[in-house]
Amino acid sequence: GILAQFNVHAQMLPLIDWDELLAGERIIARFDIVPSDTGYFFCEVNTDSSVGCTEVLDCLNVYASALGSSLADTLPSPNLDKARLIKRLVEKHALTRVIIFGLHMYAGDGFPSMELERAYFQAEMPDVPVEIVDEFTYPKPLLDAEQGRKTLVYRIGVFSDMDTDCRALFGQI
């Protein structure tokens, strides 16, 4: 089928939520598919703050503000749009917590900026805890089905960067 056509790795199969892909309610992504002489290849899924350079507008706002300019005041913020989407999902499903899940290997490199996402999420949902975790700090109680049902997990990570344990954890979330 379609997975074979795009050479999707077999280990990704248990992580695919087919109903969600059809409904599209919670997916923020860009799929990179590369054509070649022998067919198409699934290159990557971008589902983090780097999609569309969302941080660029925030940088422009800081720069314009420092110059006393209102240049960016009327431009829509992709990060704000994303935070509002997350807020709608939290409200719709009566969720009580948001987890931003990034890989440990990304810590401290500034890419993607999970702190910026947390700030936007928290500003839109001041009464909802928003935490940044990785595969080593993911709260074990949230693996319980009851707790997990009350939590929105915003995942940031490239499949090829995940080791076997991390892939298993993603499968449990």
Side-chain angles (χ1 to χ4, degrees), residues 100-120:
I100 300 172
F101 186 112
L103 298 178
H104 181 74
M105 68 184 300
Y106 301 152
D109 66 4
F111 174 80
S113 176
M114 292 173 258
E115 290 292 340
L116 181 61
E117 290 192 305
R118 177 171 48 188
Y120 271 94

Side-chain angles (χ1 to χ4, degrees), residues 9-166:
H9 196 286
Q11 288 182 320
M12 286 185 68
L13 296 178
L15 303 177
I16 298 173
D17 181 343
W18 293 104
D19 293 332
E20 178 56 28
L21 284 175
L22 293 173
E25 180 182 63
R26 300 178 305 231
I27 302 281
I28 302 170
R30 183 187 78 231
F31 297 91
D32 291 347
I33 299 170
V34 180
S36 76
D37 292 338
T38 59
Y40 292 93
F41 290 88
F42 173 83
C43 180
E44 67 180 344
V45 179
N46 292 291
T47 56
D48 57 50
S49 65
S50 64
V51 177
C53 299
T54 60
E55 294 171 333
V56 170
L57 182 70
D58 293 290
C59 293
L60 176 62
N61 278 326
V62 170
Y63 180 72
S65 177
L67 295 175
S69 169
S70 60
L71 173 68
D73 287 352
T74 60
L75 300 175
S77 166
N79 278 319
L80 182 56
D81 287 345
K82 190 180 342 178
R84 288 176 176 163
L85 170 64
I86 297 298
K87 179 182 179 182
R88 283 194 308 271
L89 292 171
V90 165
E91 290 172 348
K92 177 179 180 180
H93 298 286
L95 304 175
T96 60
R97 168 182 279 129
V98 173
I99 297 288
I100 300 172
F101 186 112
L103 298 178
H104 181 74
M105 68 184 300
Y106 301 152
D109 66 4
F111 174 80
S113 176
M114 292 173 258
E115 290 292 340
L116 181 61
E117 290 192 305
R118 177 171 48 188
Y120 271 94
F121 291 178
Q122 202 66 80
E124 284 296 306
M125 302 172 289
D127 298 328
V128 176
V130 179
E131 301 171 58
I132 298 172
V133 302
D134 60 31
E135 65 271 32
F136 301 111
T137 61
Y138 190 86
K140 299 295 183 224
L142 297 183
L143 294 176
D144 172 73
E146 186 63 30
Q147 288 293 317
R149 274 192 281 281
K150 298 176 184 175
T151 304
L152 185 145
V153 178
Y154 181 76
R155 300 179 196 178
I156 300 171
V158 178
F159 186 76
S160 61
D161 287 346
M162 296 178 208
D163 64 19
T164 304
D165 292 337
C166 185

